[in-house]
Amino acid sequence: MDYQTLLRQLYQDFNARQIDAVLAHMHTDVSWPNGWEGGYVSGHEEVRAYWLRQWQQIDPMVEPISFDEKPDGRIAIKVRQIIKSVEGEILSDTLLFHVYTFKNGKVRTMAIEH
């Protein structure tokens, strides 16, 4: 499976606010970090609700920089995350790592590492 292509598309769809397209790449039992409020959300409906809440308050854009496949099958992506206020003011500009696991060709988990 070409996970790098899948993940590039996931980021593109996220940045375009195409929720259904992003969720199509996720396992129905996905575990996703709530990097904005803390903790994790599970499943498509919780991820959808989280993002809709988030996008009402902030405007995040995430761009993948590099990909690293780990020996255990996880994929770590160095990303640049720019968070703006809804008025367009830059609130943060950060480099992070997003680490993914997969099940049946879909994203099963994502973790944020600093």
Side-chain angles (χ1 to χ4, degrees), residues 7-8 11-12 15 62-67 77-80:
L7 291 166
R8 284 188 186 282
Y11 285 102
Q12 182 178 330
N15 289 332
V62 185
E63 295 296 331
I65 295 172
S66 63
F67 292 76
I77 304 173
K78 184 177 187 178
V79 299
R80 181 177 182 201

Side-chain angles (χ1 to χ4, degrees), residues 14-33:
F14 174 84
N15 289 332
R17 307 298 185 250
Q18 300 296 318
I19 294 175
D20 291 330
V22 178
L23 292 174
H25 298 296
M26 294 183 181
H27 191 275
T28 55
D29 192 29
V30 66
S31 179
W32 195 264

Side-chain angles (χ1 to χ4, degrees), residues 17-56:
R17 307 298 185 250
Q18 300 296 318
I19 294 175
D20 291 330
V22 178
L23 292 174
H25 298 296
M26 294 183 181
H27 191 275
T28 55
D29 192 29
V30 66
S31 179
W32 195 264
N34 182 331
W36 180 48
E37 300 161 321
Y40 279 81
V41 294
S42 298
H44 287 191
E45 291 313 307
E46 285 187 18
V47 171
R48 179 189 307 276
Y50 162 60
W51 282 341
L52 291 175
R53 273 192 325 277
Q54 181 186 81
W55 294 337
Q56 289 175 354

